Amino acid sequence: MSAMEKKSASVIVIGGGVTGLSAAWWLARDGVDVLVIEKGIVGWEASGRNGGGCTHYQSPLFDEEQRLWPQMDELLGYPTEYRRERVIMALTDAQLAQYQDHGDICARMGYHYETLDAKQTRELVPLAGDNVVGAVHYHFGGQANPQRSVQAYAWALQDKGGRILQHTAVSSIVTKGGRVTGVETSLGRFDCDHLVLAAGPQTGALLDTIGIYLPVAPARAEMIVTEPLPLMRIGGVDGNGLYGRQTLRGNLAYGGGPHEWLEDTGPDGRTAAGGIAARPASQLLQNLSKRLVELFPRAAHVRVIRSWAGIIENTPDGRPVIDRLDEPGNLTVATMSSVGFGLSPAAGHAIRDLVMEGRCSFTDIDKLGLDRFANLPRDWRARQGWVPPVLSDFATPARLPA
Amino acid sequence: MEDEEVTSDFHAIGEKHTRATEHAELLVIGAGEAGLAAALEAARAGVQVTLVDENPLGPGLIGMDVPLLFGNRWTAAVQNQGRMLEQILATNPGLEEAFELGVEVKLGTYAWGAFVAGPNLQSLPEPVVGLADETRSWLCGFKRLIIAAGARDLVYSFAGFETPGVVGAQGFASLVSRYGAFNGRRIVVLGTGDLAVRTAALALDAGLEVAAMVEVRDAAQSDVSLMVSRGVEIITGHAILEARGNAEGVTAAVLAPVAGGEPRGIDCDTIVLAIGAVPVIDLADVAGAKLTRCDGSYVVESAPAGVFFAGDCAGLGADAAASGRAAAQAALRSLGHEVTAAPAPAPVPPLPADTDAYRMDWMRALMATGGLDVHACTCEEVTRRDLLTVQPPRYLDAPVAGRDLTSLGDGAPPSQDQIKRLTRACMGPCQARRCREQVAMMMAIGTDRPLGAIALAGYRAPVRPLPLGVLAASDETAEMAEGWNVWFGIRTQWIPYADIGTERETERAGRMMHF
């Protein structure tokens, strides 16, 4: 791609994560002149570093998620590695009851699942061991490859005439007369008729540049990946407090466990002190390994070859904001609150509808509006305990002097 | 939300991290020349030193070419850990001195991660190095850390690369000198620089035959007269085309003239890649060190507080022992010890100024003579062509037309991390030790950029591929077990949308624990 000569677009999407890319792809399919501006590389942050799950019963976008995923390879024209079905294995009766509870929620919405006993589970999941109590087997849902899917969106939207500008940071939103007129970037001003803001952890800081408050808190989470194993019939097997999947290559890729809340960052992803948004891993990989070997006792010999850390944002109630604002009326805001990848085909559709028609055409998303946080105290992070750890909490003599 | 209510997040990391079960005032990773010198220097000053070295490696890692390209050219001796241990002690008299000075020496111990508090990682109770042996893993806390992880092999692949007997210069030296377990007799050395000459000399001194030294350029890159006088043929203007062989291994190195012409075969059982070496910076990267490109490699520019570097991992070619002593003195000073007359380490003799160009000359010659159907990444079976055209992996059977490396970057250099994700090159169990550098070179060639423009792909813990059962935490905190949640544990997050704002919401929220 050559550098962008045209510094305007009908719709600018800030954020080349999976939500922004999907929205831009949906818009490009309608022939809209759309430009995605990304501070780094497409799908580089949490969009490319997640479990790849496509089973989100809690969302109003659930039906659309289930409808779209089986078609995505064909619609995009590039592989996503989507595979249907999911098995959630329980090692305790309490886990099994919990997983069945979620299965029942799905069943009431018309999705079929069944409960497997220990023997049936071991027959379906060759890596399962004697410690398995049972499992729920979803005949819906599934999982895809996040890294491949984000690039599929990017290529597909370019094929439809959309543009992507990487390595370009947006510093502020520009408004005039109550409308968004463009964005200021590291490459100067870009004009637009409508702005979609889907900038992940930076969404709040960017909105703050026009005095609108969106509460989000960034956090770091970690995953581990093993060397490849022979493919199980269903790759989407998790449970025991882990999320993840066996990839089509055969690797086990799993995450879960405690997150670390991080400082708020500016529009460029830097902290107030100017620190870089590093994604350091930690010894948590030992705890992930412990639970994975409990989940798959027959994989104890399998080697861990990588770990990842990713930074994701959450709203105070953990639910998305997908909202076209009243003022500026040509601004659509989307944060998926840490659950964005699987819902991305549907979220992009909803955003496209908001931009083009002012409302979501296929489901009610009114409860995902930004106005639900209108009376939220600004110190909500402290009140919820969503704050970075304080180093001095640990009175360990071995801690280094400053 | 009640105004006065302030809660803590039960599922956040808090104080859940596993604690170190061992502590060292000074922890030294690597008992090579630099690490040993550092450990001895600090121990003489009265510091409590723990010295860790992964040798003797377990046969599992040796078989995976981790951390060096051993190329399946070892004798059964490597299976005998006791014999290997004796061999290492016998060939490293400095270790005995370390024992006498009270250094805690841990051999056969892997360092798989180094975790130091920094931006976005404030939850660590203390800085730690993750250690493991063949059966378990644990954490060692430290006040100061010296990483002396040495260098590994610069690897280029070619047809027949996986035939037993294609070995790296560092792997070769390790098998010959450290383990006494090299299983070959007649070698061909690729390269004619200092490393290649040292490799050939080591082989001759060990009683092996050196059939030839091979150079893609038109002249040898260092003084090879001594090798010539010892009967080594110097073949310039040729690239390796193929490792020809059978089930037992290499039988010949097939060389192709770079300018075109008939290939020639040279009988041998081993082909040693001695074109260059790569500083081992994996642990430094994981620890959060700032890295910079220098003389053909990435090296440490600055380290987190309390972490020091010595030897080849701090820059190839330095006087390793002097570098180790200097690192120890810096660590001692920072611990408040008086260090007298700290001799400045000898300046690092620069590698030849055109190191990048030399490595790229080899890459171009291999591509020109061997074509694009050779694997760029052996573990993941990604060919040079797959890489240049950004093909999805073959197991998808979904070739993508009309894409190449230049279509990813908006005019910016492509990212090797992005290429990893798309092609799977560098994603295999050898943790990219056999392909990282050549993939970067091919990316530079494919986008017509200097090698230095290709940013370093990040290293990830565990920096050794260790089994799940070994890495699994055996001593995690009670807080970890109690507060574990599959995701953030935000109860309202998983309430079905239809229930939001209804009477069912509160009831649901109460059941949403421990999803």
Side-chain angles (χ1 to χ4, degrees):
Chain A
M1 284 310 112
S2 62
M4 300 284 139
E5 287 106 31
K6 193 174 112 181
K7 296 183 80 169
S8 69
S10 177
V11 178
I12 286 177
V13 177
I14 307 178
V18 72
T19 304
L21 290 169
S22 175
W25 170 68
W26 277 94
L27 289 162
R29 291 175 81 205
D30 278 359
V32 174
D33 168 29
V34 62
L35 168 65
V36 178
I37 302 180
E38 162 55 46
K39 71 177 167 55
I41 295 170
V42 290
W44 188 242
E45 302 289 346
S47 297
R49 304 162 189 265
N50 60 72
C54 308
T55 323
H56 297 99
Y57 69 85
Q58 80 282 3
S59 173
L61 306 173
F62 181 46
D63 283 337
E64 185 70 353
E65 176 191 54
Q66 298 307 307
R67 183 182 77 86
L68 285 170
W69 267 115
Q71 312 174 46
M72 289 308 283
D73 281 20
E74 194 177 339
L75 291 174
L76 294 169
Y78 300 93
T80 65
E81 299 191 23
Y82 170 75
R83 282 206 292 170
R84 200 180 176 98
E85 296 183 88
R86 181 177 176 191
V87 173
I88 312 177
M89 277 168 37
L91 305 187
T92 65
D93 291 334
Q95 283 177 347
L96 188 60
Q98 181 77 75
Y99 302 151
Q100 285 178 305
D101 195 30
H102 296 134
D104 290 341
I105 293 173
C106 299
R108 280 195 290 276
M109 290 188 277
Y111 295 93
H112 175 55
Y113 93 95
E114 61 193 317
T115 301
L116 308 180
D117 65 21
K119 182 166 172 288
Q120 290 169 317
T121 303
R122 280 190 292 270
E123 282 166 6
L124 188 61
V125 182
L127 295 176
D130 294 337
N131 58 345
V132 70
V133 168
V136 295
H137 178 189
Y138 291 175
H139 293 267
F140 55 96
Q143 32 107 22
N145 180 329
Q147 301 169 348
R148 214 165 301 291
S149 301
V150 287
Q151 192 64 53
Y153 281 122
W155 279 338
L157 85 90
Q158 288 174 328
D159 291 343
K160 301 283 183 194
R163 291 173 288 157
I164 300 172
L165 185 57
Q166 299 182 115
H167 308 290
T168 305
V170 175
S171 54
S172 64
I173 299 169
V174 182
T175 58
K176 189 177 178 186
R179 290 184 66 76
V180 174
T181 56
V183 292
E184 290 291 346
T185 78
S186 50
L187 290 182
R189 170 82 174 268
F190 284 73
D191 298 321
C192 64
D193 303 320
H194 195 112
L195 183 65
V196 173
L197 181 54
Q202 285 77 50
T203 304
L206 282 161
L207 212 47
D208 189 52
T209 66
I210 53 170
I212 296 174
Y213 184 59
L214 169 73
V216 284
R220 181 173 50 76
E222 300 181 31
M223 296 186 70
I224 59 170
V225 185
T226 72
E227 64 186 318
L229 287 168
L231 288 185
M232 298 189 285
R233 183 173 87 66
I234 296 176
V237 182
D238 54 13
N240 192 35
L242 298 173
Y243 62 88
R245 70 195 210 281
Q246 182 181 37
T247 69
L248 269 184
R249 172 71 175 99
N251 311 75
L252 305 176
Y254 287 84
H259 48 278
E260 178 166 336
W261 293 109
L262 309 176
E263 286 178 62
D264 289 331
T265 53
D268 56 0
R270 286 176 178 269
T271 62
I276 52 158
R279 295 179 297 259
S282 72
Q283 61 256 43
L284 193 68
L285 74 86
Q286 285 183 298
N287 309 96
L288 288 163
S289 298
K290 174 179 187 288
R291 280 161 185 77
L292 189 51
V293 86
E294 286 167 359
L295 184 70
F296 296 138
R298 293 179 195 180
H301 64 287
V302 175
R303 291 172 187 272
V304 181
I305 59 174
R306 271 188 296 283
S307 62
W308 308 328
I311 296 175
I312 49 260
E313 81 279 12
N314 264 300
T315 67
D317 57 15
R319 295 169 186 154
V321 170
I322 306 176
D323 195 4
R324 180 165 172 176
L325 305 187
D326 291 333
E327 189 177 340
N330 61 339
L331 173 57
T332 299
V333 178
T335 163
M336 295 304 291
S337 194
S338 77
V339 185
F341 174 74
L343 290 167
S344 63
H349 188 185
I351 294 166
R352 174 255 166 233
D353 287 356
L354 291 178
V355 172
M356 303 295 287
E357 296 160 20
R359 62 181 299 277
C360 180
S361 65
F362 57 89
T363 190
D364 161 47
I365 56 170
D366 288 350
K367 289 186 258 188
L368 303 183
L370 180 54
D371 60 359
R372 70 183 190 270
F373 299 122
N375 297 319
L376 186 78
R378 292 299 173 99
D379 62 349
W380 67 276
R381 289 193 60 177
R383 288 169 185 251
Q384 295 191 190
W386 289 15
V387 290
V390 178
L391 289 173
S392 57
D393 279 352
F394 300 100
T396 310
R399 182 173 292 287
L400 289 165
Chain B
M1 183 176 305
E2 297 296 323
D3 259 349
E4 300 306 314
E5 189 182 353
V6 175
T7 58
S8 65
D9 181 353
F10 180 59
H11 302 295
I13 186 68
E15 302 187 12
K16 295 185 179 66
H17 273 308
T18 306
R19 303 293 196 272
T21 52
E22 294 177 355
H23 288 87
E25 191 173 8
L26 174 66
L27 177 58
V28 180
I29 305 299
E33 208 179 339
L36 194 53
L40 294 175
E41 183 83 5
R44 287 189 198 110
V47 169
Q48 186 268 312
V49 180
T50 299
L51 175 63
V52 170
D53 196 281
E54 62 192 338
N55 292 294
L57 293 158
L61 287 194
I62 292 179
M64 296 173 75
D65 292 327
V66 176
L68 306 174
L69 185 66
F70 296 108
N72 215 342
R73 255 297 169 256
W74 59 87
T75 64
V78 303
Q79 310 279 353
N80 184 337
Q81 294 292 100
R83 180 204 167 276
M84 293 268 279
L85 204 54
E86 282 170 25
Q87 171 85 13
I88 282 165
L89 291 171
T91 54
N92 289 274
L95 284 174
E96 195 172 329
E97 189 182 351
F99 283 119
E100 285 164 9
L101 285 166
V103 173
E104 184 161 353
V105 180
K106 293 175 179 294
L107 300 177
T109 304
Y110 306 109
W112 50 264
F115 306 113
V116 181
N120 292 350
L121 181 56
Q122 297 192 42
S123 55
L124 297 178
E126 59 181 314
V128 293
V129 168
L131 299 176
D133 57 23
E134 297 294 322
T135 60
R136 68 183 190 104
S137 64
W138 68 96
L139 301 174
C140 182
F142 61 85
K143 286 191 177 176
R144 298 294 183 272
L145 171 65
I146 294 176
I147 298 176
R152 61 178 170 82
D153 291 304
L154 173 68
V155 178
Y156 297 83
S157 50
F158 39 86
F161 172 78
E162 288 186 275
T163 312
V166 178
V167 179
Q170 315 283 325
F172 174 74
S174 184
L175 290 175
V176 171
S177 307
R178 183 183 283 140
Y179 295 159
F182 177 67
N183 188 25
R185 301 196 54 81
R186 179 177 161 88
I187 72 171
V188 164
V189 175
L190 303 181
T192 58
D194 290 339
L195 175 65
V197 170
R198 283 202 307 275
T199 301
L202 172 66
L204 292 170
D205 293 347
L208 306 169
E209 288 178 63
V210 179
M213 296 175 70
V214 181
E215 175 55 52
V216 291
R217 288 184 170 177
D218 290 334
Q221 299 298 295
S222 63
D223 182 359
V224 291
S225 53
L226 200 56
M227 295 302 108
V228 173
S229 70
R230 295 177 77 173
V232 177
E233 183 184 4
I234 310 296
I235 302 172
T236 59
H238 279 68
I240 178 83
L241 182 67
E242 183 187 358
R244 185 176 293 159
N246 54 35
E248 313 222 316
V250 171
T251 56
V254 182
L255 308 178
V258 176
E262 282 302 303
R264 61 176 281 201
I266 297 183
D267 291 345
C268 62
D269 56 40
T270 303
I271 298 166
V272 185
L273 282 151
I275 298 155
V278 182
V280 175
I281 53 168
D282 45 16
L283 207 54
D285 196 12
V286 168
K290 189 174 174 198
L291 305 169
T292 186
R293 201 170 168 82
C294 173
D295 296 332
S297 297
Y298 284 91
V299 295
V300 177
E301 181 178 299
S302 64
V307 184
F308 304 85
F309 297 88
D312 276 344
C313 73
L316 294 173
D319 176 335
S323 162
R325 283 192 296 273
Q329 287 160 1
L332 287 169
R333 266 193 296 276
S334 76
L335 284 167
H337 290 255
E338 286 211 11
V339 176
T340 50
V348 177
L351 294 176
D354 69 341
T355 298
D356 274 1
Y358 180 59
R359 294 178 175 196
M360 291 282 272
D361 281 352
W362 268 94
M363 192 71 247
R364 286 197 184 86
L366 289 168
M367 290 169 78
T369 54
L372 298 183
D373 294 320
V374 171
H375 284 159
C377 169
T378 308
C379 294
E380 297 292 320
E381 300 183 342
V382 179
T383 67
R384 293 169 180 164
R385 189 187 318 279
D386 294 338
L387 183 76
L388 295 172
T389 58
V390 199
Q391 290 304 309
R394 281 158 193 263
Y395 62 80
L396 287 178
D397 192 26
V400 164
R403 297 288 173 184
D404 62 37
L405 288 171
T406 61
S407 72
L408 296 167
D410 306 320
S415 153
Q416 188 167 355
D417 276 315
Q418 189 180 18
I419 294 303
K420 282 165 66 176
R421 295 168 165 211
L422 296 176
T423 66
R424 295 201 63 85
C426 304
M427 296 281 265
C430 85
Q431 299 181 315
R433 287 176 175 85
R434 300 183 293 187
C435 61
R436 174 185 279 269
E437 286 73 30
Q438 59 175 331
V439 164
M441 284 188 258
M442 281 179 256
M443 289 176 60
I445 290 167
T447 56
D448 196 23
R449 289 174 185 278
L451 181 53
I454 307 300
L456 180 74
Y459 287 91
R460 311 287 177 79
V463 298
R464 296 292 180 273
L466 299 175
L468 274 174
V470 169
L471 282 173
S474 56
D475 42 16
E476 71 178 24
T477 59
E479 292 91 336
M480 181 69 78
E482 290 160 11
W484 188 278
N485 195 281
V486 68
W487 195 224
F488 280 75
I490 305 168
R491 296 184 189 189
T492 47
Q493 184 157 43
W494 304 104
I495 290 170
Y497 182 78
D499 291 349
I500 297 173
T502 71
E503 288 174 0
R504 295 174 56 82
E505 181 169 8
T506 315
E507 184 262 335
R508 278 263 168 238
R511 289 159 55 183
M512 285 297 160
M513 293 189 65
H514 302 297
F515 173 64

